[in-house]
């Protein structure tokens, strides 16, 4: 009877600790709230420092959804105060893709394709004045011609669709931190 009581007490302690940890927001949640607060105060550089901490923590814990969310925020916040942020953002994603795995890799390819597409659209008048080059593409996006942009955009979008079968097995609930839920809208 004594062993049964000890076992019951042990299970109860485990159950209560699990319930309490589920009710407490994670460190990530607290940090994201701090970032939103800093953004509202007009402090993008301070918010970026917190994002960098989240990025490092997510990378250390191999928490892909938080890592991707941190990358998205980093890209967004850098645009608030850095002049050449688009080139840096593209370089950041190109470097991070090398070490990433599915599905993080495919999401990053999609983001990179979108960034390159937006860069091209904003600088189209400059790009169209460049002569088409033959040979290997430069890694400096500021020297690319229209054909190189088209190839890079197409390549990254296609790479974002690789491993389709594996991607289809991943539950979307795992990526809740980067999903934006829309409330139902009646269109009638």
């Amino acid at each position: 009877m004594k062993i049964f009581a000890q076992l019951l007490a042990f299970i109860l302690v485990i159950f209560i600790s699990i319930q309490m940890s589920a009710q407490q927001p994670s460190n990530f949640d607290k940090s994201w709230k701090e970032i939103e607060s800093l953004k509202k105060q007009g402090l993008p550089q301070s918010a970026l420092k917190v994002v960098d901490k989240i990025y490092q923590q997510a990378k250390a814990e191999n928490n892909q959804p938080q890592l991707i969310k941190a990358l998205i925020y980093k890209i967004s916040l850098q645009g608030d105060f850095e002049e050449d942020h688009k080139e840096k953002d593209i370089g950041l994603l190109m470097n991070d893709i090398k070490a990433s795995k599915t599905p993080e890799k495919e999401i990053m390819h999609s983001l990179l394709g979108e960034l390159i597409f937006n860069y091209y659209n904003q600088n189209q008048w400059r790009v169209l004045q460049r002569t088409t080059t033959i040979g290997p593409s430069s890694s400096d996006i500021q020297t690319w011609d229209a054909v190189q942009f088209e190839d890079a955009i197409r390549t990254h979008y296609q790479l974002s669709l690789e491993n389709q079968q594996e991607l289809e097995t991943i539950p979307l609930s795992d990526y809740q931190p980067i999903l934006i839920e829309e409330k139902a809208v009646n269109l009638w």
Side-chain angles (χ1 to χ4, degrees):
M1 187 71 161
K2 187 176 181 182
I3 295 173
F4 178 73
Q6 289 175 341
L7 183 61
L8 185 60
F10 178 73
I11 291 172
L12 188 60
V13 168
I14 297 284
F15 180 73
I16 291 171
S17 65
I18 289 172
Q19 289 296 328
M20 289 182 70
S21 67
Q23 291 173 356
Q24 295 175 348
S26 71
N27 286 341
F28 289 118
D29 291 339
K30 291 176 187 174
S31 296
W32 289 119
K33 287 178 183 173
E34 180 183 356
I35 291 166
E36 289 302 323
S37 173
L38 290 168
K39 282 176 58 177
K40 286 179 184 173
Q41 294 173 36
L43 302 169
Q45 290 175 322
S46 298
L48 187 58
K49 288 178 184 176
V50 179
V51 168
D52 285 334
K53 288 178 185 176
I54 291 174
Y55 177 82
Q56 294 304 325
Q57 181 183 354
K59 202 169 200 173
E61 295 177 8
N62 197 27
N63 188 330
Q64 292 182 350
Q66 292 295 336
L67 182 77
I68 293 167
K69 185 174 182 178
L71 276 171
I72 292 168
Y73 268 74
K74 188 172 188 165
I75 289 167
S76 173
L77 290 169
Q78 285 177 338
D80 290 345
F81 62 90
E82 287 187 19
E83 194 168 316
D84 59 345
H85 68 94
K86 290 197 184 299
E87 294 87 356
K88 288 180 181 179
D89 297 340
I90 290 169
L92 173 71
L93 275 175
M94 284 183 172
N95 285 333
D96 279 5
I97 284 175
K98 294 173 188 172
S100 61
K101 299 175 186 156
T102 298
E104 177 186 31
K105 187 175 197 170
E106 285 75 11
I107 294 170
M108 286 184 183
H109 275 297
S110 180
L111 289 171
L112 185 54
E114 186 74 18
L115 283 176
I116 294 170
F117 178 75
N118 290 337
Y119 181 91
Y120 173 75
N121 282 337
Q122 291 177 351
N123 295 285
Q124 189 173 13
W125 63 275
R126 272 190 226 145
V127 173
L128 292 177
Q129 292 177 359
R130 298 177 188 154
T131 57
T132 304
T133 57
I134 299 174
S137 175
S138 166
S139 62
D140 182 8
I141 195 168
Q142 294 177 342
T143 63
W144 288 3
D145 59 38
V147 173
Q148 289 170 315
F149 273 100
E150 183 180 311
D151 288 344
I153 293 165
R154 183 182 333 99
T155 297
H156 287 291
Y157 279 135
Q158 287 174 340
L159 288 171
S160 74
L161 299 173
E162 270 191 356
N163 303 316
Q164 181 179 353
Q165 291 178 336
E166 187 177 348
L167 291 172
E168 289 174 350
T169 64
I170 298 169
L172 284 178
S173 60
D174 292 353
Y175 286 84
Q176 196 62 37
I178 61 171
L179 298 176
I180 299 171
E181 292 185 35
E182 293 289 328
K183 304 228 187 277
V185 177
N186 294 329
L187 298 175
W188 58 88

